[in-house]
């Protein structure tokens, strides 16, 4: 369903784009695909070396880019990112991709460390909140642009032993839906990406995952994961069509429908499946 009007210009063509978490995975794929569409990209990442690597990939794809360090959990750094982007573009960005995130899972609620809860919510939810808080007024004042928030199918298909991750991504989905309503008629669109497995390095050893969660996550990515480039191309095409929701994989669509029409059955089934798998 189209939730914001399109102009004759495709929003993701020749975009002035900001991408967080651009140093790897989905973020790097966004930067490269936007470059292929003729864009200029500010590639931000908490690791400046990885951001610089993405800049090289963007330039190889025919785009222009700069790299910069940004910790999305720090509002002053996100404000600095916006200033850097506007200085380099000579004006406001036209696409902002709030992508930075980490994996989390393993222990059940009550055993998952509160420090890991805090870190997961700070990166996955507060990072997106900060990006929207800073960039939404800029795009609204310009009367154009798109915010792309990266959530997950976990936002609506909560699985056991992933509470912190589920909560963080559900928050991103709710934030995106709220902003889509708030920005209606302003010329600014919102799109939220809700994939299942994507073949990235999200199962980083530094992420709050126990050994079992890391092993099961690796198996899931190997069996069902799609390449980030395909997910990103689908998402940017949806941005051009003015779509709010991007649910790109068959299993994600099945989860979406199951949770919508059979919520209690879905929850019971998820619990039974978790016990079988373990």
């Amino acid at each position: 369903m189209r939730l914001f009007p399109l102009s004759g210009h495709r929003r993701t063509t020749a975009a002035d784009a900001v991408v967080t978490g651009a140093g790897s995975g989905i973020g790097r794929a966004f930067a490269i695909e936007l470059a292929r569409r003729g864009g200029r990209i500010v590639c931000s990442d908490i690791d400046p070396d990885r951001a610089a690597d993405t800049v090289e990939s963007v330039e190889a794809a025919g785009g222009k880019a700069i790299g910069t360090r940004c910790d999305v959990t720090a509002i002053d750094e996100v404000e600095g990112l916006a200033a850097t982007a506007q200085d380099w573009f000579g004006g406001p960005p036209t696409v902002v991709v709030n992508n930075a995130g980490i994996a989390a899972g393993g222990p059940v609620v009550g055993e998952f460390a509160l420090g890991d809860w805090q870190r997961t919510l700070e990166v996955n939810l507060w990072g997106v909140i900060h990006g929207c808080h800073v960039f939404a007024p800029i795009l609204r004042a310009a009367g154009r642009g798109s915010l792309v928030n990266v959530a997950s199918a976990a936002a609506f298909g909560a699985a056991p032993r992933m509470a912190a991750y589920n909560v963080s991504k559900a928050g991103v989905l709710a934030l995106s839906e709220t902003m889509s309503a708030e920005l209606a008629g302003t010329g600014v669109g919102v799109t939220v990406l809700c994939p299942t497995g994507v073949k990235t390095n999200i199962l980083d050893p530094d992420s709050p995952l126990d050994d079992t969660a890391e092993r099961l996550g690796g198996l899931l990515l190997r069996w069902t994961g799609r390449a980030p480039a395909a997910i990103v191309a689908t998402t940017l095409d949806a941005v051009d069509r003015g779509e709010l929701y991007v649910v790109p994989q068959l299993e994600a669509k099945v989860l979406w429908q199951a949770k919508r029409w059979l919520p209690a059955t879905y929850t019971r089934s998820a619990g039974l499946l978790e016990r079988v798998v373990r």
Side-chain angles (χ1 to χ4, degrees):
M1 181 173 61
R2 183 168 297 161
L3 295 180
F4 52 85
L6 293 173
S7 66
H9 176 70
R10 290 166 61 91
R11 290 168 179 254
T12 66
T13 299
D16 285 340
V18 177
V19 182
T20 68
S24 61
I26 293 176
R28 178 171 289 181
F30 267 114
I32 292 170
E33 180 61 26
L34 285 161
R36 288 178 177 145
R37 299 180 184 214
R40 299 186 293 175
I41 301 93
V42 175
C43 303
S44 79
D45 198 273
I46 196 168
D47 184 334
D49 292 333
R50 293 196 305 194
D53 289 342
T54 298
V55 169
E56 292 183 4
S57 298
V58 164
E59 291 173 344
K64 297 180 179 179
I66 60 169
T68 185
R69 183 187 186 279
C70 180
D71 178 354
V72 297
T73 70
I75 186 63
D76 59 329
E77 294 199 23
V78 180
E79 290 170 342
L81 173 61
T84 296
Q86 292 185 97
D87 286 346
W88 190 59
F89 294 143
T94 58
V95 174
V96 177
V97 182
N98 292 306
N99 162 75
I102 59 173
V108 297
V109 175
E111 297 177 6
F112 192 73
L114 289 178
D116 290 338
W117 265 99
Q118 183 172 356
R119 182 177 175 221
T120 304
L121 294 177
E122 282 179 347
V123 177
N124 290 0
L125 180 54
W126 274 103
V128 178
I129 292 171
H130 287 159
C132 292
H133 178 79
V134 170
F135 284 100
I138 295 170
L139 300 187
R140 187 188 294 114
R144 61 185 174 85
S146 296
L147 287 160
V148 182
N149 296 330
V150 177
S152 166
F156 51 79
R161 297 180 179 268
M162 292 179 57
Y165 187 80
N166 297 338
V167 169
S168 69
K169 294 303 186 177
V172 172
L173 178 59
L175 173 63
S176 302
E177 292 171 333
T178 301
M179 293 186 65
S180 179
E182 292 178 347
L183 292 167
T186 67
V188 181
V190 179
T191 297
V192 58
L193 169 60
C194 298
T196 45
V198 184
K199 293 180 178 178
T200 70
N201 64 341
I202 194 169
L203 300 177
D204 189 292
D206 293 331
S207 297
L209 294 161
D210 69 8
D211 291 342
T212 302
E214 189 170 348
R215 177 178 59 82
L216 292 176
L219 289 173
L220 178 64
L221 291 182
R222 191 155 59 246
W223 293 338
T224 66
R226 287 183 63 191
I231 299 294
V232 162
T234 296
T235 303
L236 293 178
D237 289 344
V239 172
D240 285 335
R241 293 192 297 269
E243 295 178 2
L244 171 57
Y245 303 103
V246 180
V247 184
Q249 292 129 301
L250 176 61
E251 63 270 21
K253 291 179 173 67
V254 170
L255 286 176
W256 177 275
Q257 294 298 328
K259 187 63 180 292
R260 180 180 180 185
W261 297 108
L262 300 166
T265 300
Y266 167 82
T267 302
R268 286 195 298 270
S269 299
L272 289 171
L273 180 61
E274 189 271 339
R275 287 193 288 276
V276 169
V277 170
R278 284 182 177 264

